[in-house]
Amino acid sequence: MLRLFGPHCDGSPIEASALARIPDDVAWIDLLEPTREEEKLVEKFIGSNVPTRDDLAEIEPSSRLYERGGMLYLTLSTLTGIDEGQPSSSPIGFILTETHLVTVRYADPRPFRMLAEHWKREPELATDGGQMFVRLLDAIVDRLADELERSSAEIEKISQQIFKKDMEDRRIPAARLTALLTRIGRAQSLLAKIRETAVSTSRLIHFLSGTSRVERLADERGHVGSLTADVAALIDHSSFVSEQLTFLLDASLGLISIEQNAAMKLFSWAALVFLPPTLVAGIYGMNFDHMPELHWLYGYPMALIIMLMSGVLPWLYMRRRGWI
């Protein structure tokens, strides 16, 4: 899908076959899962190749951030899939020329949709490709901050569930423990993707700050500096949240161990209580000829009393020691 943003373009999808050439006053050219025909049209306009999906998947810094022919080629791992409940990161390519911005992507993150809607309300945003690029970065960083706040709120709920004031309320059944571990795992997965995007954004901004292109963005230079500080703060906060999540995971595993120990403890004292009566019953169940108690009038009541006392006395002892 090809979309053009500029003074005479409304950002609606355009068929490449219906367009002879791209207007010169376009500020932002957005390619979403482009066809080869759309790629050729954009390549003819900017005079350079458009990165393919395989090119965007490269992880080496030299393949993701470089300058060639007076144009910047930047690749950013962007958080996506939040609304679908499947957080992931997708590489998005940026080509920044003197006056135009080209984006190549195979996912549709919310910041792109939000900026497109914002542009429809304020078309003057799309007067320069560099300004659009900085605003895209700003929208991506804002999205990261929002998701990090949501992750922190989810972790707080998990913490309240684990560390309830009443001790009896902290005894969680196995099914709820499984659900708790699942929530922790999903929170950790989202946090990892947030951190991946934040680190990728930090690398991109630092690379941009070291190029001559940022010098020509006089109006946006201060904005780029604030984005650098914002991303650094997000990375630090994500590290703190990750440590907190690790602590909650350890606490959850500790609760599981306590439940397992309680179950084993129940079996242990039950075995200790019933083992002596079983021993007495086993002795008097033997078929020996010379067992005086078998012929004694009170032998049967005596055996019952011995079995009862051999079970009760260990139980009283364990209860006094606080084991049960």
Side-chain angles (χ1 to χ4, degrees):
M1 182 175 68
L2 172 65
R3 295 191 303 173
L4 303 179
F5 295 84
H8 303 95
C9 305
D10 60 359
S12 300
I14 300 175
E15 292 291 338
S17 57
L19 193 65
R21 64 183 302 273
I22 296 176
D24 293 332
D25 58 356
V26 167
W28 177 22
I29 304 171
D30 184 33
L31 291 171
L32 175 59
E33 297 185 358
T35 63
R36 185 55 190 150
E37 187 179 7
E38 293 170 344
E39 291 177 345
K40 288 181 178 180
L41 183 64
V42 175
E43 289 173 352
K44 181 180 179 181
F45 177 72
I46 64 175
S48 181
N49 292 332
V50 171
T52 63
R53 184 193 291 263
D54 293 337
D55 294 334
L56 297 177
E58 297 289 340
I59 63 175
E60 298 88 350
S62 59
S63 300
R64 287 197 153 209
L65 307 169
Y66 60 92
E67 186 173 3
R68 186 175 63 194
M71 292 183 287
L72 294 181
Y73 292 80
L74 313 169
T75 303
L76 175 65
S77 295
T78 308
L79 181 67
T80 185
I82 301 299
D83 298 333
E84 295 78 13
Q86 297 293 333
S88 61
S89 60
S90 177
I92 294 178
F94 299 88
I95 304 175
L96 193 59
T97 69
E98 289 292 333
T99 56
H100 305 97
L101 170 66
V102 180
T103 55
V104 184
R105 54 198 179 97
Y106 294 88
D108 193 19
R110 182 182 292 183
F112 283 79
R113 301 194 300 269
M114 292 176 59
L115 189 62
E117 293 296 327
H118 191 187
W119 175 85
K120 291 180 180 180
R121 296 191 300 269
E122 300 181 33
E124 62 273 11
L125 288 175
T127 58
D128 180 76
Q131 293 178 351
M132 290 297 296
F133 177 60
V134 174
R135 281 170 171 75
L136 266 176
L137 290 180
D138 192 14
I140 291 172
V141 172
D142 285 345
R143 175 66 166 166
L144 287 180
D146 293 340
E147 291 304 325
L148 194 55
E149 290 178 0
R150 287 180 54 188
S151 296
S152 299
E154 174 67 11
I155 290 173
E156 181 63 26
K157 293 179 182 178
I158 295 174
S159 178
Q160 292 176 359
Q161 182 177 354
I162 294 175
F163 301 108
K164 291 184 178 180
K165 184 176 181 180
D166 192 349
M167 184 176 296
E168 289 299 323
D169 292 339
R170 291 199 294 267
R171 298 180 61 87
I172 305 177
R176 289 176 57 192
L177 280 172
T178 302
L180 181 63
L181 291 178
T182 301
R183 290 179 64 186
I184 293 176
R186 293 181 65 86
Q188 177 60 39
S189 177
L190 175 58
L191 189 60
K193 298 305 178 183
I194 292 175
R195 185 173 178 82
E196 180 182 352
T197 302
V199 171
S200 180
T201 305
S202 177
R203 289 170 53 189
L204 186 150
I205 294 176
H206 278 91
F207 176 82
L208 178 65
S209 300
T211 63
S212 59
R213 185 71 174 89
V214 75
E215 298 297 331
R216 295 191 289 273
L217 293 172
D219 297 336
E220 304 295 335
R221 194 181 309 168
H223 199 168
V224 172
S226 66
L227 286 178
T228 302
D230 291 342
V231 172
L234 287 177
I235 293 175
D236 291 340
H237 189 59
S238 66
S239 298
F240 166 74
V241 174
S242 179
E243 292 175 358
Q244 187 179 10
L245 195 58
T246 301
F247 168 72
L248 293 179
L249 176 60
D250 293 339
S252 300
L253 296 177
L255 287 177
I256 294 175
S257 298
I258 291 174
E259 291 293 327
Q260 290 177 339
N261 292 336
M264 294 304 298
K265 188 176 180 180
L266 174 64
F267 286 114
S268 298
W269 72 255
L272 185 59
V273 168
F274 290 105
L275 184 59
T278 303
L279 175 62
V280 175
I283 292 175
Y284 287 101
M286 298 178 183
N287 295 320
F288 291 107
D289 291 335
H290 301 288
M291 294 185 71
E293 294 84 359
L294 295 180
H295 303 287
W296 183 33
L297 179 62
Y298 301 103
Y300 176 67
M302 180 200 70
L304 292 179
I305 292 174
I306 293 175
M307 286 189 289
L308 178 63
M309 295 303 296
S310 64
V312 171
L313 291 177
W315 182 81
L316 292 175
Y317 177 76
M318 289 186 293
R319 184 176 179 84
R320 185 174 182 181
R321 295 295 300 270
W323 295 349
I324 58 175

